[in-house]
Amino acid sequence: MSSDTKTAKDVALTLCLHCHKLNPVSWSVCSRCGGSIHLRKPKSVQVTLAWLITAIVFYIPANIFPVMTTYAFGRETASSIIGGIFELWEQKSFVIAAIIFVASIIIPILKILLLLWLCLSLKLNLTETLKLRTSLYRLTLWIGRWSMIDVFVVAILVALLQLGGLLSIQPTIGSLAFACVVIATMLAAESFDPRLIWDSLER
């Protein structure tokens, strides 16, 4: 960026992240949509890290404890995410197993690692990868849409397979823990202010 390039911050304006209208930095509410505005999100990195730690804490029980319990013909079977993936693979349901593996294992880990890297890069004041880090932030927002696939699968199964006393499926603590992981990573992504990445040019 050239030295004579000015930003909204340089001319005492701030962008509303809801409707994208520029407002004076002294205002706390957008004049167009009424949304809350800040020059930068308060304590963005700290809040993001707090939500990421929360996600990591819940990620462990989400993968250890069963996500659902099946009652069929008087027999009770508990299934964890990992156990369900292996079982689907053994039953030749490769596509479903792969989808659940990506949605339940790969996506949460990837999102957590990407956000951790973005926070760390701000602390290290890295200025060589600004566009890359902005693209990584967009990626975290995009992949977050696919995080709830297996929770939706459990919900659908619960709704469709309640057949009296013969067969029923109940969600268990693993589903709740995984939902907390998804919510925490979503809040972490929303708490991170990508404008901080480009502020490093001014240091």
Side-chain angles (χ1 to χ4, degrees):
M1 180 181 295
S2 62
S3 58
D4 60 345
T5 301
K6 291 187 178 294
T7 65
K9 181 180 178 183
D10 296 329
V11 293
L13 294 174
T14 185
L15 180 70
C16 174
L17 298 179
H18 305 285
C19 69
H20 293 179
K21 183 185 187 324
L22 287 172
N23 295 267
V25 293
S26 59
W27 295 4
S28 59
V29 177
C30 177
S31 61
R32 179 159 64 185
C33 71
S36 178
I37 54 176
H38 305 279
L39 185 61
R40 296 295 181 265
K41 293 181 181 179
K43 298 183 178 179
S44 172
V45 175
Q46 295 89 331
V47 175
T48 300
L49 289 173
W51 282 119
L52 288 176
I53 292 171
T54 302
I56 293 171
V57 169
F58 278 107
Y59 186 78
I60 298 172
N63 286 277
I64 293 177
F65 292 110
V67 293
M68 64 181 181
T69 301
T70 305
Y71 302 91
F73 305 103
R75 182 182 176 184
E76 177 181 331
T77 304
S79 301
S80 64
I81 293 176
I82 299 296
I85 292 171
F86 280 117
E87 186 174 344
L88 287 168
W89 193 268
E90 291 173 355
Q91 295 176 359
K92 311 295 184 183
S93 299
F94 302 123
V95 175
I96 298 177
I99 291 174
I100 294 179
F101 176 75
V102 171
S104 305
I105 307 298
I106 300 298
I107 286 179
I109 292 178
L110 181 60
K111 194 170 183 180
I112 289 171
L113 291 178
L114 286 176
L115 287 171
L116 283 174
W117 163 245
L118 290 174
C119 292
L120 179 62
S121 67
L122 292 176
K123 294 298 183 181
L124 297 177
N125 192 24
L126 302 178
T127 59
E128 298 83 5
T129 58
L130 299 178
K131 289 185 178 180
L132 173 61
R133 282 186 281 156
T134 302
S135 297
L136 291 177
Y137 176 72
R138 294 194 190 104
L139 178 62
T140 61
L141 296 178
W142 183 80
I143 64 177
R145 304 172 187 175
W146 308 99
S147 301
M148 290 288 284
I149 288 178
D150 59 334
V151 176
F152 288 140
V153 169
V154 173
I156 292 171
L157 288 174
V158 170
L160 296 179
L161 297 181
Q162 299 294 344
L163 303 179
L166 296 179
L167 176 64
S168 65
I169 295 178
Q170 297 294 335
T172 55
I173 188 171
S175 295
L176 177 61
F178 188 80
C180 290
V181 172
V182 174
I183 293 171
T185 55
M186 290 173 59
L187 291 173
E190 290 297 325
S191 299
F192 184 82
D193 194 334
R195 295 173 294 185
L196 293 173
I197 298 174
W198 295 92
D199 285 348
S200 60
L201 288 177
E202 304 173 5
R203 299 174 186 172

